[in-house]
Amino acid sequence: SQQGEEDPQALSIQEGENATMNCSYKTSINNLQWYRQNSGRGLVHLILIRSNEREKHSGRLRVTLDTSKKSSSLLITASRAADTASYFCATDKEGAQKLVFGQGTRLTINP
Amino acid sequence: EAGVVQSPRYKIIEKKQPVAFWCNPISGHNTLYWYRQNLGQGPELLIRYENEEAVDDSQLPKDRFSAERLKGVDSTLKIQPAELGDSAVYLCASSLMGYEQYFGPGTRLTVT
């Protein structure tokens, strides 16, 4: 069973615009991670945010975490065609060291 | 640094046939994972190894799936016999200390 639910399931924007994806989960977590998957390839780790952190940045990526609402968001600023991919959130339950992935958001960047 | 290596990349078999997937993790990574990813879904964990020990195989269908990690390095995942519903991408990942996971390119299995 999958804990995380991403919203929207699909997102299409113009190059240069910002893209925001959301993730909700059900149980307490140790950390939450975001991964990217290009078509036909394995997943690539983007960013990890711990349960005691509220916001984290990495280049054009900004992740927020609200543990009271059990939700996270991933913001990609100044999108590029190369950002076209599926984005997954994955939660690591407290003490479990076991990632549970959501269904992903398919992001398409139009030139 | 070499990434996680998986083979084969693609496999087509008839139902009831056996199939095996191989994974070589990143050197030094003690934790190895096997995931199954169905089309349009996120990966689901099948089994997790800490060195040679399978510490979480609760989601591995043990009637037909088996896995091993000899000497705590390479790993093999086997399905025998395969069913139509086993068609999916099988991903291997490794990590150090269980945080960020590094994924291989996966094996796309088609059962006909």
Side-chain angles (χ1 to χ4, degrees):
Chain A
S1 61
Q2 296 180 311
Q3 168 165 232
E5 290 187 7
E6 281 95 339
D7 172 55
Q9 290 189 351
L11 178 63
S12 181
I13 61 174
Q14 295 299 121
E15 193 168 17
E17 295 180 338
N18 296 341
T20 299
M21 289 157 271
N22 302 295
C23 170
S24 60
Y25 56 92
K26 299 174 183 175
T27 64
S28 296
I29 61 171
N30 183 41
N31 65 72
L32 185 145
Q33 303 179 35
W34 285 90
Y35 286 80
R36 180 186 71 218
Q37 185 175 38
N38 294 94
S39 180
R41 297 188 179 183
L43 286 86
V44 174
H45 181 268
L46 295 177
I47 198 165
L48 180 154
I49 186 166
R50 301 185 191 282
S51 59
N52 61 352
E53 298 176 310
R54 292 296 168 260
E55 186 172 313
K56 206 162 183 179
H57 296 255
S58 177
R60 293 184 296 111
L61 306 180
R62 172 178 170 255
V63 169
T64 62
L65 179 65
D66 187 334
T67 53
S68 66
K69 295 182 179 178
K70 292 186 170 59
S71 67
S72 173
S73 68
L74 170 67
L75 169 67
I76 303 175
T77 60
S79 63
R80 305 168 181 170
D83 295 328
T84 294
S86 290
Y87 291 80
F88 294 90
C89 70
T91 53
D92 185 354
K93 294 170 65 174
E94 283 186 293
Q97 285 195 338
K98 174 178 176 176
L99 286 184
V100 180
F101 286 82
Q103 294 185 336
T105 293
R106 294 186 305 278
L107 174 65
T108 302
I109 308 299
N110 301 304
Chain B
E1 178 182 87
V4 176
V5 179
Q6 290 188 248
S7 69
R9 291 293 311 277
Y10 305 91
K11 189 74 176 179
I12 301 174
I13 62 171
E14 295 183 347
K15 62 181 181 182
K16 300 185 181 180
Q17 294 300 305
V19 64
F21 314 123
W22 174 80
C23 173
N24 179 240
I26 292 174
S27 178
H29 282 194
N30 60 319
T31 308
L32 183 145
Y33 312 77
W34 282 103
Y35 290 87
R36 177 170 57 191
Q37 184 176 23
N38 293 311
L39 189 63
Q41 303 290 316
E44 293 185 308
L45 181 70
L46 292 174
I47 189 167
R48 173 168 68 98
Y49 282 93
E50 295 289 345
N51 301 306
E52 301 92 351
E53 183 182 1
V55 296
D56 185 354
D57 63 356
S58 58
Q59 293 182 255
L60 188 73
K62 298 181 184 63
D63 57 336
R64 298 183 300 106
F65 285 65
S66 64
E68 61 181 8
R69 190 183 185 196
L70 300 177
K71 300 181 180 179
V73 182
D74 295 3
S75 178
T76 303
L77 177 69
K78 298 178 181 178
I79 308 175
Q80 182 172 10
E83 297 179 350
L84 294 177
D86 296 330
S87 293
V89 176
Y90 290 83
L91 295 165
C92 178
S94 68
S95 72
L96 188 62
M97 304 302 290
Y99 289 109
E100 176 181 343
Q101 295 185 21
Y102 295 81
F103 283 80
T107 296
R108 182 176 297 277
L109 174 67
T110 302
V111 182
T112 63

